[in-house]
Amino acid sequence: MKKHWLVYFVCTALFANASPNSSSCTPCEKKPVKSCPKPVPYDADLFRKEVPVYSGHGSFLFWRIQEGALDYALKMKESSPAATNYAIGEMKKATFHGEPGFRVALSYFRAPHFWEIWWQYTRLTAHGSNRTTPPSGDRYITATWPIGNITEPVTGAHSDIHFNYNVGDFLVDRVFHPNPHLRLRLLGGGTVAWMEQSWDILYTNSVNQESRIHNRWKFIGGGLRIGTTIDWFCGSDIYLTAQATAASLLGSYHNTARQTSSLYTTPIRNMHFSDARPAFAVQGIFGPSWQKNFCSMRAEIFAGYEINTWFNLQEVYRSTEGDPTSSKQTWLNNAALALQGLTTRLTLDF
Protein backbone atom coordinates (compact mmCIF):
# COMPACT_ATOMS: atom_id res chain seq x y z
CA MET A 1 0.00 0.00 0.00
CA LYS A 2 2.79 2.36 0.82
CA LYS A 3 4.35 1.60 -2.58
CA HIS A 4 1.20 2.83 -4.44
CA TRP A 5 1.12 6.13 -2.54
CA LEU A 6 4.81 6.68 -3.30
CA VAL A 7 4.19 6.23 -7.07
CA TYR A 8 1.26 8.67 -6.93
CA PHE A 9 3.31 11.44 -5.25
CA VAL A 10 6.22 11.04 -7.67
CA CYS A 11 3.93 11.37 -10.77
CA THR A 12 2.17 14.42 -9.29
CA ALA A 13 5.48 16.14 -8.70
CA LEU A 14 6.71 15.45 -12.22
CA PHE A 15 3.59 16.83 -13.98
CA ALA A 16 3.43 19.90 -11.68
CA ASN A 17 6.98 20.99 -12.70
CA ALA A 18 6.56 20.30 -16.37
CA SER A 19 7.37 23.07 -18.85
CA PRO A 20 4.45 24.86 -20.58
CA ASN A 21 5.99 23.75 -23.86
CA SER A 22 5.87 20.09 -22.89
CA SER A 23 3.85 17.74 -25.00
CA SER A 24 1.30 17.32 -22.25
CA CYS A 25 0.11 21.00 -22.64
CA THR A 26 -1.49 22.78 -25.61
CA PRO A 27 0.27 26.18 -26.01
CA CYS A 28 -1.75 29.35 -26.62
CA GLU A 29 -0.99 30.73 -30.11
CA LYS A 30 -0.66 34.56 -30.28
CA LYS A 31 -2.35 36.16 -33.28
CA PRO A 32 -0.16 38.70 -35.16
CA VAL A 33 -1.16 42.36 -34.68
CA LYS A 34 -1.80 44.21 -37.96
CA SER A 35 -0.13 47.66 -37.97
CA CYS A 36 -2.03 50.59 -39.59
CA PRO A 37 -0.22 52.24 -42.55
CA LYS A 38 1.34 55.57 -41.69
CA PRO A 39 -0.63 58.41 -43.38
CA VAL A 40 1.25 60.24 -46.16
CA PRO A 41 1.51 64.02 -45.53
CA TYR A 42 -0.43 66.18 -47.96
CA ASP A 43 2.77 68.05 -48.85
CA ALA A 44 5.04 65.01 -49.19
CA ASP A 45 5.67 65.57 -52.92
CA LEU A 46 4.03 68.81 -54.11
CA PHE A 47 6.35 69.07 -57.12
CA ARG A 48 6.59 65.39 -58.20
CA LYS A 49 10.31 65.65 -57.75
CA GLU A 50 10.91 61.93 -58.21
CA VAL A 51 9.20 61.65 -61.61
CA PRO A 52 11.00 62.39 -64.91
CA VAL A 53 8.57 64.24 -67.18
CA TYR A 54 8.24 66.24 -70.39
CA SER A 55 6.27 69.48 -70.02
CA GLY A 56 4.51 71.74 -72.49
CA HIS A 57 4.07 75.44 -71.69
CA GLY A 58 1.79 77.87 -73.54
CA SER A 59 1.57 81.56 -72.57
CA PHE A 60 -0.76 84.34 -73.67
CA LEU A 61 0.77 87.82 -73.39
CA PHE A 62 -0.98 91.16 -73.36
CA TRP A 63 1.81 93.73 -73.21
CA ARG A 64 2.32 97.42 -73.84
CA ILE A 65 5.62 98.85 -75.08
CA GLN A 66 7.06 101.85 -73.22
CA GLU A 67 9.77 103.70 -75.10
CA GLY A 68 11.41 107.13 -75.02
CA ALA A 69 12.88 109.46 -77.69
CA LEU A 70 9.68 109.31 -79.77
CA ASP A 71 8.55 112.96 -79.69
CA TYR A 72 7.25 114.37 -82.98
CA ALA A 73 5.33 117.61 -82.18
CA LEU A 74 4.59 120.34 -79.62
CA LYS A 75 0.99 121.44 -79.05
CA MET A 76 0.88 124.99 -77.68
CA LYS A 77 -1.27 125.60 -74.59
CA GLU A 78 -0.58 129.34 -74.52
CA SER A 79 0.46 132.08 -76.91
CA SER A 80 4.14 132.81 -77.46
CA PRO A 81 5.40 135.76 -75.37
CA ALA A 82 8.05 136.73 -77.94
CA ALA A 83 8.70 136.67 -81.66
CA THR A 84 11.48 134.12 -81.08
CA ASN A 85 10.88 131.41 -78.50
CA TYR A 86 11.93 127.96 -77.37
CA ALA A 87 9.72 124.91 -76.98
CA ILE A 88 6.25 125.85 -75.72
CA GLY A 89 3.41 123.43 -75.17
CA GLU A 90 2.67 119.79 -74.53
CA MET A 91 5.11 117.29 -76.03
CA LYS A 92 3.41 114.78 -78.31
CA LYS A 93 5.09 111.40 -78.73
CA ALA A 94 4.46 108.12 -80.47
CA THR A 95 2.78 105.56 -78.22
CA PHE A 96 1.91 101.88 -78.61
CA HIS A 97 -1.41 100.18 -78.08
CA GLY A 98 -1.69 97.15 -75.81
CA GLU A 99 -1.07 94.11 -78.00
CA PRO A 100 -1.46 90.32 -77.67
CA GLY A 101 1.51 87.99 -78.06
CA PHE A 102 2.48 84.45 -77.19
CA ARG A 103 5.24 82.29 -75.74
CA VAL A 104 5.63 78.54 -76.26
CA ALA A 105 8.07 76.27 -74.45
CA LEU A 106 9.05 72.63 -74.00
CA SER A 107 11.03 71.24 -71.08
CA TYR A 108 12.32 67.90 -69.78
CA PHE A 109 12.91 67.20 -66.08
CA ARG A 110 15.53 64.52 -65.47
CA ALA A 111 14.50 63.06 -62.10
CA PRO A 112 16.02 61.99 -59.80
CA HIS A 113 19.08 63.98 -60.93
CA PHE A 114 17.24 67.31 -60.54
CA TRP A 115 18.14 69.08 -63.75
CA GLU A 116 15.95 70.38 -66.58
CA ILE A 117 16.43 71.45 -70.17
CA TRP A 118 14.26 74.17 -71.77
CA TRP A 119 13.47 75.59 -75.18
CA GLN A 120 11.15 78.61 -75.52
CA TYR A 121 10.14 81.25 -78.07
CA THR A 122 8.45 84.63 -77.45
CA ARG A 123 6.68 86.63 -80.15
CA LEU A 124 4.95 90.05 -80.11
CA THR A 125 3.96 92.56 -82.78
CA ALA A 126 2.89 96.04 -81.63
CA HIS A 127 1.47 99.12 -83.36
CA GLY A 128 0.71 102.70 -82.44
CA SER A 129 -0.90 105.66 -84.19
CA ASN A 130 -1.12 109.27 -82.98
CA ARG A 131 -2.45 112.43 -84.61
CA THR A 132 -2.17 116.05 -83.46
CA THR A 133 -4.06 119.11 -84.74
CA PRO A 134 -3.53 122.77 -83.76
CA PRO A 135 -5.62 124.47 -81.07
CA SER A 136 -7.57 127.62 -81.88
CA GLY A 137 -6.32 131.20 -82.08
CA ASP A 138 -2.63 132.06 -82.20
CA ARG A 139 -1.61 128.75 -80.69
CA TYR A 140 -0.04 126.22 -83.04
CA ILE A 141 1.49 122.81 -83.32
CA THR A 142 5.17 122.81 -84.14
CA ALA A 143 7.31 119.98 -85.44
CA THR A 144 10.16 118.65 -83.29
CA TRP A 145 11.88 117.48 -86.48
CA PRO A 146 13.25 119.99 -89.01
CA ILE A 147 10.85 120.06 -91.96
CA GLY A 148 12.95 121.78 -94.61
CA ASN A 149 11.61 124.83 -96.49
CA ILE A 150 7.98 124.34 -95.49
CA THR A 151 7.34 127.72 -93.86
CA GLU A 152 3.55 127.89 -93.55
CA PRO A 153 2.06 126.85 -90.17
CA VAL A 154 1.79 123.11 -89.61
CA THR A 155 -1.85 122.04 -89.47
CA GLY A 156 -1.38 118.33 -88.86
CA ALA A 157 1.21 115.93 -87.47
CA HIS A 158 0.64 112.19 -87.76
CA SER A 159 2.79 109.41 -86.24
CA ASP A 160 2.66 105.68 -87.01
CA ILE A 161 4.94 103.16 -85.31
CA HIS A 162 5.38 99.41 -85.62
CA PHE A 163 7.50 97.03 -83.52
CA ASN A 164 8.41 93.38 -84.12
CA TYR A 165 9.77 91.30 -81.20
CA ASN A 166 11.19 87.75 -81.37
CA VAL A 167 13.26 86.10 -78.62
CA GLY A 168 14.34 82.46 -78.33
CA ASP A 169 16.00 80.76 -75.35
CA PHE A 170 17.76 77.43 -74.84
CA LEU A 171 18.29 76.93 -71.11
CA VAL A 172 19.47 74.33 -68.59
CA ASP A 173 18.57 74.60 -64.91
CA ARG A 174 19.33 72.87 -61.61
CA VAL A 175 16.33 72.23 -59.37
CA PHE A 176 16.53 72.57 -55.58
CA HIS A 177 13.92 71.83 -52.89
CA PRO A 178 15.05 73.61 -49.69
CA ASN A 179 11.82 72.45 -48.01
CA PRO A 180 8.68 70.60 -49.17
CA HIS A 181 6.89 73.90 -49.93
CA LEU A 182 9.59 75.57 -52.05
CA ARG A 183 11.07 74.82 -55.46
CA LEU A 184 14.05 76.84 -56.65
CA ARG A 185 15.63 76.73 -60.09
CA LEU A 186 18.99 78.20 -61.05
CA LEU A 187 19.10 78.53 -64.84
CA GLY A 188 21.49 79.54 -67.58
CA GLY A 189 21.97 79.12 -71.28
CA GLY A 190 21.83 80.80 -74.66
CA THR A 191 19.44 83.44 -75.99
CA VAL A 192 18.86 84.96 -79.43
CA ALA A 193 16.82 88.04 -80.38
CA TRP A 194 15.53 89.65 -83.56
CA MET A 195 13.84 93.05 -83.13
CA GLU A 196 12.78 95.68 -85.63
CA GLN A 197 11.09 99.07 -85.25
CA SER A 198 9.67 101.30 -87.99
CA TRP A 199 8.45 104.85 -87.24
CA ASP A 200 6.83 107.21 -89.77
CA ILE A 201 5.93 110.88 -89.25
CA LEU A 202 3.91 113.09 -91.63
CA TYR A 203 3.72 116.88 -91.31
CA THR A 204 1.16 118.85 -93.35
CA ASN A 205 0.89 122.66 -93.52
CA SER A 206 -1.92 125.06 -94.38
CA VAL A 207 -1.21 124.94 -98.13
CA ASN A 208 -1.07 121.09 -98.22
CA GLN A 209 2.69 120.84 -98.44
CA GLU A 210 4.06 117.69 -96.83
CA SER A 211 7.21 116.49 -95.15
CA ARG A 212 7.60 112.74 -94.43
CA ILE A 213 10.15 111.18 -92.09
CA HIS A 214 10.91 107.47 -91.87
CA ASN A 215 13.00 106.03 -89.01
CA ARG A 216 13.92 102.38 -88.70
CA TRP A 217 16.25 100.28 -86.59
CA LYS A 218 16.91 96.55 -86.51
CA PHE A 219 18.89 94.30 -84.17
CA ILE A 220 19.83 90.63 -84.60
CA GLY A 221 22.06 89.07 -81.96
CA GLY A 222 22.73 86.30 -79.49
CA GLY A 223 24.29 85.81 -76.09
CA LEU A 224 23.85 84.36 -72.61
CA ARG A 225 21.01 84.43 -70.10
CA ILE A 226 21.12 83.54 -66.39
CA GLY A 227 18.49 83.71 -63.67
CA THR A 228 16.28 81.97 -61.17
CA THR A 229 12.66 80.89 -60.73
CA ILE A 230 10.77 80.28 -57.48
CA ASP A 231 7.54 78.42 -56.68
CA TRP A 232 6.33 78.82 -53.08
CA PHE A 233 3.35 76.78 -51.87
CA CYS A 234 0.86 78.87 -49.86
CA GLY A 235 -1.97 76.37 -49.40
CA SER A 236 -5.07 75.04 -51.19
CA ASP A 237 -3.05 74.43 -54.40
CA ILE A 238 -2.13 78.13 -54.59
CA TYR A 239 1.52 79.13 -55.12
CA LEU A 240 3.49 82.34 -55.51
CA THR A 241 5.63 82.14 -58.65
CA ALA A 242 8.45 84.50 -59.59
CA GLN A 243 11.25 84.64 -62.14
CA ALA A 244 14.18 86.99 -62.67
CA THR A 245 16.75 86.76 -65.48
CA ALA A 246 19.46 88.92 -67.01
CA ALA A 247 20.87 88.61 -70.52
CA SER A 248 23.79 90.05 -72.46
CA LEU A 249 23.81 89.83 -76.26
CA LEU A 250 26.10 90.89 -79.08
CA GLY A 251 24.74 91.46 -82.56
CA SER A 252 24.30 93.51 -85.70
CA TYR A 253 22.54 96.89 -85.40
CA HIS A 254 21.21 99.01 -88.28
CA ASN A 255 19.57 102.43 -88.09
CA THR A 256 18.23 104.64 -90.90
CA ALA A 257 16.58 108.07 -91.08
CA ARG A 258 15.01 109.23 -94.37
CA GLN A 259 13.02 112.40 -95.06
CA THR A 260 11.20 113.59 -98.17
CA SER A 261 9.39 116.83 -98.95
CA SER A 262 6.70 117.68 -101.49
CA LEU A 263 8.93 120.60 -102.55
CA TYR A 264 11.75 118.31 -103.78
CA THR A 265 12.03 115.20 -105.89
CA THR A 266 14.94 113.70 -103.95
CA PRO A 267 15.26 113.01 -100.19
CA ILE A 268 16.42 115.89 -98.02
CA ARG A 269 17.57 113.42 -95.35
CA ASN A 270 18.98 109.95 -96.01
CA MET A 271 21.18 108.68 -93.16
CA HIS A 272 22.40 105.10 -92.64
CA PHE A 273 24.21 103.78 -89.58
CA SER A 274 25.30 100.26 -88.63
CA ASP A 275 27.62 98.63 -86.12
CA ALA A 276 28.19 95.53 -84.00
CA ARG A 277 26.98 96.31 -80.51
CA PRO A 278 26.08 94.76 -77.17
CA ALA A 279 22.53 94.82 -75.88
CA PHE A 280 21.41 94.10 -72.33
CA ALA A 281 18.10 92.87 -70.98
CA VAL A 282 16.51 92.19 -67.60
CA GLN A 283 13.29 90.25 -67.05
CA GLY A 284 10.97 90.02 -64.07
CA ILE A 285 7.82 87.92 -63.59
CA PHE A 286 5.65 87.74 -60.47
CA GLY A 287 2.17 86.47 -59.66
CA PRO A 288 -0.01 83.71 -58.23
CA SER A 289 -0.40 80.26 -59.77
CA TRP A 290 -2.63 77.24 -59.28
CA GLN A 291 -0.72 73.94 -59.33
CA LYS A 292 -2.07 70.44 -58.72
CA ASN A 293 -0.89 66.83 -58.93
CA PHE A 294 -3.15 64.26 -60.56
CA CYS A 295 -2.72 60.50 -60.84
CA SER A 296 -0.69 60.60 -64.04
CA MET A 297 0.09 64.29 -64.60
CA ARG A 298 0.61 67.70 -63.04
CA ALA A 299 -1.00 70.99 -64.15
CA GLU A 300 -0.21 74.67 -63.56
CA ILE A 301 -2.12 77.86 -64.40
CA PHE A 302 -0.25 81.15 -63.85
CA ALA A 303 -1.38 84.78 -64.22
CA GLY A 304 0.90 87.66 -63.30
CA TYR A 305 2.89 90.71 -64.29
CA GLU A 306 5.97 90.58 -66.52
CA ILE A 307 8.43 93.24 -67.60
CA ASN A 308 11.33 92.97 -70.06
CA THR A 309 13.66 95.97 -70.27
CA TRP A 310 16.24 96.34 -73.06
CA PHE A 311 19.14 98.77 -73.17
CA ASN A 312 21.32 100.17 -75.99
CA LEU A 313 18.80 99.58 -78.78
CA GLN A 314 16.35 102.49 -79.09
CA GLU A 315 18.14 105.34 -80.90
CA VAL A 316 16.86 108.19 -83.09
CA TYR A 317 19.38 110.07 -85.26
CA ARG A 318 18.72 113.72 -86.12
CA SER A 319 21.10 116.40 -87.41
CA THR A 320 21.56 120.09 -88.02
CA GLU A 321 20.83 121.43 -91.50
CA GLY A 322 22.97 123.34 -94.00
CA ASP A 323 24.00 123.46 -97.62
CA PRO A 324 25.55 120.33 -99.19
CA THR A 325 29.10 121.30 -98.20
CA SER A 326 28.31 122.36 -94.63
CA SER A 327 28.93 120.13 -91.64
CA LYS A 328 25.95 118.29 -90.20
CA GLN A 329 26.12 117.76 -86.47
CA THR A 330 24.48 114.61 -85.18
CA TRP A 331 21.75 114.86 -82.56
CA LEU A 332 21.28 111.45 -80.96
CA ASN A 333 18.25 110.60 -78.82
CA ASN A 334 18.30 107.26 -77.01
CA ALA A 335 16.15 105.57 -74.41
CA ALA A 336 15.35 102.25 -72.75
CA LEU A 337 12.84 99.89 -74.31
CA ALA A 338 10.36 98.12 -72.01
CA LEU A 339 7.71 95.50 -72.77
CA GLN A 340 5.38 95.00 -69.81
CA GLY A 341 1.94 93.74 -68.93
CA LEU A 342 -0.09 90.58 -68.31
CA THR A 343 1.36 87.10 -68.77
CA THR A 344 -0.81 83.99 -68.39
CA ARG A 345 0.57 80.44 -68.72
CA LEU A 346 -0.74 76.88 -68.85
CA THR A 347 1.71 74.04 -68.11
CA LEU A 348 0.97 70.32 -68.48
CA ASP A 349 3.30 67.41 -67.69
CA PHE A 350 3.17 64.35 -69.91
Side-chain angles (χ1 to χ4, degrees):
M1 186 69 178
K2 293 181 180 179
K3 185 181 292 185
H4 292 294
W5 279 105
L6 180 62
V7 172
Y8 170 78
F9 282 116
V10 170
C11 290
T12 302
L14 290 174
F15 284 116
N17 295 327
S19 172
N21 294 327
S22 64
S23 58
S24 61
C25 297
T26 303
C28 296
E29 296 182 359
K30 295 182 179 181
K31 295 182 179 180
V33 179
K34 293 183 178 180
S35 59
C36 297
K38 187 177 180 180
V40 178
Y42 74 96
D43 58 355
D45 191 11
L46 294 173
F47 302 101
R48 297 185 73 198
K49 57 181 179 290
E50 301 296 335
V51 182
V53 295
Y54 291 92
S55 299
H57 315 259
S59 299
F60 171 77
L61 318 173
F62 193 81
W63 291 352
R64 183 181 290 272
I65 297 177
Q66 313 291 152
E67 195 172 44
L70 294 177
D71 60 279
Y72 68 93
L74 280 165
K75 187 172 185 177
M76 296 178 66
K77 297 295 185 179
E78 55 185 320
S79 302
S80 172
T84 301
N85 57 267
Y86 299 96
I88 295 178
E90 179 186 0
M91 186 75 73
K92 296 296 183 179
K93 57 171 291 192
T95 58
F96 290 90
H97 308 304
E99 302 284 355
F102 69 88
R103 176 184 290 135
V104 292
L106 291 174
S107 65
Y108 173 65
F109 176 52
R110 181 67 173 91
H113 301 289
F114 298 107
W115 60 264
E116 280 182 304
I117 188 168
W118 288 74
W119 172 88
Q120 68 178 18
Y121 169 67
T122 305
R123 164 78 174 171
L124 179 76
T125 299
H127 304 80
S129 181
N130 303 91
R131 184 182 296 274
T132 304
T133 56
S136 59
D138 58 351
R139 292 171 294 169
Y140 309 97
I141 58 171
T142 55
T144 57
W145 283 79
I147 55 176
N149 292 329
I150 295 179
T151 57
E152 298 296 326
V154 174
T155 57
H158 187 197
S159 165
D160 280 302
I161 195 165
H162 173 269
F163 187 78
N164 202 0
Y165 182 79
N166 301 270
V167 175
D169 298 294
F170 183 77
L171 305 170
V172 177
D173 68 57
R174 180 71 166 85
V175 183
F176 299 89
H177 298 89
N179 62 63
H181 293 183
L182 182 65
R183 177 173 62 186
L184 173 67
R185 294 183 177 102
L186 299 180
L187 60 88
T191 184
V192 294
W194 170 54
M195 286 176 269
E196 182 180 17
Q197 179 171 284
S198 179
W199 182 31
D200 292 292
I201 306 167
L202 172 62
Y203 296 112
T204 306
N205 68 3
S206 57
V207 294
N208 292 324
Q209 294 172 331
E210 294 181 347
S211 181
R212 294 179 180 270
I213 300 168
H214 176 72
N215 290 275
R216 179 174 177 266
W217 64 257
K218 179 174 67 173
F219 175 77
I220 301 175
L224 299 176
R225 184 182 297 274
I226 60 172
T228 183
T229 67
I230 297 173
D231 291 286
W232 177 26
F233 175 71
C234 301
S236 301
D237 299 323
I238 302 300
Y239 295 69
L240 285 180
T241 297
Q243 177 173 320
T245 69
S248 178
L249 298 85
L250 181 66
S252 174
Y253 182 80
H254 298 271
N255 198 309
T256 62
R258 178 182 172 87
Q259 184 172 2
T260 59
S261 171
S262 58
L263 301 178
Y264 305 97
T265 58
T266 58
I268 60 175
R269 183 193 308 270
N270 197 7
M271 187 281 304
H272 301 266
F273 173 81
S274 62
D275 68 0
R277 67 171 53 194
F280 309 96
V282 291
Q283 176 195 42
I285 304 174
F286 179 79
S289 64
W290 175 86
Q291 302 181 35
K292 189 173 183 62
N293 289 330
F294 297 94
C295 292
S296 59
M297 63 171 295
R298 189 173 190 274
E300 175 195 12
I301 298 176
F302 168 82
Y305 174 75
E306 178 173 352
I307 183 168
N308 293 269
T309 306
W310 292 80
F311 303 94
N312 205 32
L313 291 178
Q314 162 63 355
E315 292 181 347
V316 178
Y317 286 85
R318 314 187 194 203
S319 72
T320 56
E321 61 181 342
D323 60 66
T325 60
S326 299
S327 64
K328 311 295 189 299
Q329 299 178 22
T330 300
W331 294 341
L332 176 61
N333 303 120
N334 53 20
L337 164 67
L339 301 92
Q340 55 86 30
L342 173 68
T343 294
T344 61
R345 181 177 67 247
L346 171 65
T347 297
L348 297 175
D349 295 345
F350 54 93

